Amino acid sequence: MGEFELIRRYFAAAACAATADGVALGIGDDCALLTPVAGAQLAVSTDTLVAGVHFPALCDPFLLGQRALAVSASDLAAMGAAPLAFTLALTLPDADPAWLEAFASGLNRMATACGLALIGGDTTRGPLSMTLTVFGQVPAGLALTRAGARVGDLLCVGGPLGEAGGALELVLGRLAAAPDVAEPLLERYWSPPPQLALGQALRGRATAALDVSDGLLADCGHIARASGVALVIDAERLPPSPALESLLGPERALQAKLSAGDDYVIAFTLPPAELAELQRDWPQVRAIGRVEAGAGVRVLDGTGRDITPRQGGYLHFME
Amino acid sequence: MGEFELIRRYFAAAACAATADGVALGIGDDCALLTPVAGAQLAVSTDTLVAGVHFPALCDPFLLGQRALAVSASDLAAMGAAPLAFTLALTLPDADPAWLEAFASGLNRMATACGLALIGGDTTRGPLSMTLTVFGQVPAGLALTRAGARVGDLLCVGGPLGEAGGALELVLGRLAAAPDVAEPLLERYWSPPPQLALGQALRGRATAALDVSDGLLADCGHIARASGVALVIDAERLPPSPALESLLGPERALQAKLSAGDDYVIAFTLPPAELAELQRDWPQVRAIGRVEAGAGVRVLDGTGRDITPRQGGYLHFME
């Protein structure tokens, strides 16, 4: 079976969507062809997931397929880009049809949910890993970057924090929990819903944005550096998560909210006047702090005491 | 060191070029932003190279960097696309500064030669492999696909065939040769010049095109299938290669020209009236056969005898 045929067979649903608007030519030639709408910029992001580093080597391939695309789509969301298409470069130790079918079906499900068409790919033999490149479009000048936060803006997040980090304790078998605690956490880890609609709603409103992948503190550090400001987080205003608090207890739950990665919710800065209207459509949006003059990220408790942890966020390879 | 900082430090030259036309935002945010010129389509191609599969695990990182980008850029050439940008997802067993510096310097050299700006990437820890995604632009409707070859067209190639396959025998130490034989072959393997200018010159002239990566027979099979035609190759008209013929002898050299992969020259079909003018600017272009009604690919010797090898081309994983 040829590599294109392999991809076509298992990823048919996502590849079919390649007749979508903006995709002039899908899988099967030397290149795919995208036709962005007039005046749009094309947003591009690449992520690699390696077995044993970014996901457990032994895991459910359906869930892995879902999560792999969700993680990449989240970068489009954080940029305010409308989803368009993606490519998949899949490296496999062998061609196990059952594994491929389940993986493709998780990937296809997320592709359909996000509106992303599979336009190309490559299959190679080797240790399990995958690189996804996602494409979106955004009207020129309206993309949400990390630079642009202004003193006086609120710091906001689009959803709960730390839950994927809590789930990882379960995934790796370090902790166990009853289903009412475990299930919502595992759902966040395996199927983080990319906040694509929220990202587009933030165009022209948010002054800076990114998706929380490395942990809130580390990612807020990226905004602070790129924008030349300080960010202050009020620990008491972080979104509550009964499941996480039940799993870890209040102290470690707070630590997870501040430092655990993999949540893929959008963190953004917003002029205070914008908050009320935004929360009408997006009630899960919470202001968790503010932008001040200076540099770096600080965490304050309810009394205003600085409780910033020394170590910030999940550290990738070589960080 | 953060992953962006790592990429920035070692790939500075290529990343600097990200102020190039068409690149609105380079490395360092959630997404890069491309602004294709009005009326252009964006050509996208993804390739993965795995150590021990696509290149020898022990090899010169400078040469590897050159070759990795050349292989991907060749897909843009085959589509008639003008080069724009690329992303690099690099998986490394460890962060060896000497290795990274040499790899980056080969990659940067090819990026500069091709006019491709590095706009994003990801570094992860794991067994050595890399996925490159390249972006080019082509006026809407002018991209060269594999479909479109017409009965009566000539089958042409943009350069020598089989030389990279011959070089692989040297790279893997299966054969040895004097420098005057080895050097030109090794140059083709490690630094195949992507035929970007030729590809753009073929817009509006060639009826179908691709780059020869899997071997001439296998790749001609792709054109034949996509276009619904038969391709006939005249073995005697294949470009001569003194180095290859000296290394392998005439019979195995012919076999390599027909079936060895990795050459990355453009194969294309062309109305006969176009050939003379094209060869004025591109003297290395040769007509090696023709398009006939039917299906499949046949090879004929000087007497018209069918000498098609049973097995066609380098077979990728799972083919």
Side-chain angles (χ1 to χ4, degrees), chain A residues 317-318, chain B residues 6 90-95 99-100 123-129:
Chain A
F317 176 37
M318 292 175 288
Chain B
L6 179 97
L90 186 59
T91 302
L92 296 168
D94 49 50
W99 192 95
L100 267 168
T123 41
T124 51
R125 187 193 289 275
L128 180 61
S129 76

Side-chain angles (χ1 to χ4, degrees), chain A residues 88-128:
Chain A
L88 167 69
L90 186 59
T91 301
L92 296 168
D94 49 50
D96 172 353
W99 191 95
L100 267 169
E101 201 166 323
F103 176 80
S105 123
L107 189 87
N108 287 346
R109 188 176 163 184
M110 189 56 74
T112 305
C114 292
L116 285 165
L118 180 64
I119 57 162
D122 195 7
T123 41
T124 51
R125 187 193 289 275
L128 180 61

Side-chain angles (χ1 to χ4, degrees), chain A residues 1-4 6 24-25 28-36 41-48 50 53-54 75-76 78-79 87 89 91-92 94-95 122 124-125 127 131 133 135 138 143 145-146 209-211 316-319, chain B residues 1-4 6 24-25 28-36 41-48 50 53-54 75-76 78-79 87 89 91-92 94-95 122 124-125 127 131 133 135 138 143 145-146 209-211 316-319:
Chain A
M1 197 191 312
E3 71 186 62
F4 287 126
L6 179 96
L25 184 66
D29 217 298
D30 294 294
C31 293
L33 292 173
L34 299 177
T35 313
Q41 291 181 317
L42 205 87
V44 179
S45 178
T46 290
D47 282 294
T48 297
V50 178
V53 179
H54 300 90
D75 282 319
L76 295 179
M79 213 71 190
T87 62
T91 301
L92 296 168
D94 49 50
D122 195 7
T124 51
R125 187 193 289 275
T131 296
T133 304
F135 306 96
V138 57
T145 71
R146 299 170 177 196
L210 48 57
D211 64 324
H316 278 299
F317 176 37
M318 292 175 288
E319 278 189 315
Chain B
M1 197 190 315
E3 70 186 62
F4 287 125
L6 179 97
L25 184 66
D29 217 298
D30 294 295
C31 293
L33 292 173
L34 298 177
T35 313
Q41 291 181 318
L42 205 88
V44 179
S45 178
T46 290
D47 281 294
T48 298
V50 179
V53 179
H54 300 89
D75 283 319
L76 295 179
M79 213 72 189
T87 62
T91 302
L92 296 168
D94 49 50
D122 195 7
T124 51
R125 187 193 289 275
T131 296
T133 304
F135 306 95
V138 57
T145 71
R146 298 171 179 197
L210 47 57
D211 63 324
H316 278 300
F317 175 36
M318 292 175 289
E319 279 188 316

Side-chain angles (χ1 to χ4, degrees), chain A residues 207-244:
Chain A
T207 51
L210 48 57
D211 64 324
V212 178
S213 54
D214 297 343
L216 182 66
L217 281 176
D219 286 317
C220 283
H222 295 319
I223 292 181
R225 264 190 302 281
S227 298
V229 296
L231 296 186
V232 179
I233 297 167
D234 293 316
E236 294 203 327
R237 300 170 78 189
L238 292 171
S241 167
L244 184 68

Side-chain angles (χ1 to χ4, degrees), chain B residues 64-120:
Chain B
L64 178 61
Q66 272 198 161
R67 182 167 185 274
L69 187 58
V71 165
S72 288
S74 180
D75 283 319
L76 295 179
M79 213 72 189
L84 185 52
F86 72 107
T87 62
L88 167 69
L90 186 59
T91 302
L92 296 168
D94 49 50
D96 171 353
W99 192 95
L100 267 168
E101 202 166 323
F103 176 80
S105 126
L107 189 87
N108 287 345
R109 187 176 164 183
M110 189 55 73
T112 305
C114 292
L116 285 164
L118 180 63
I119 56 162

Side-chain angles (χ1 to χ4, degrees), chain B residues 31 36 55 61 82 95 106 120 126 262 267 275 280 283 306 309 311:
Chain B
C31 293
F55 59 89
D262 292 336
L275 184 63
R280 266 201 296 278
D306 189 321
Q311 178 81 332

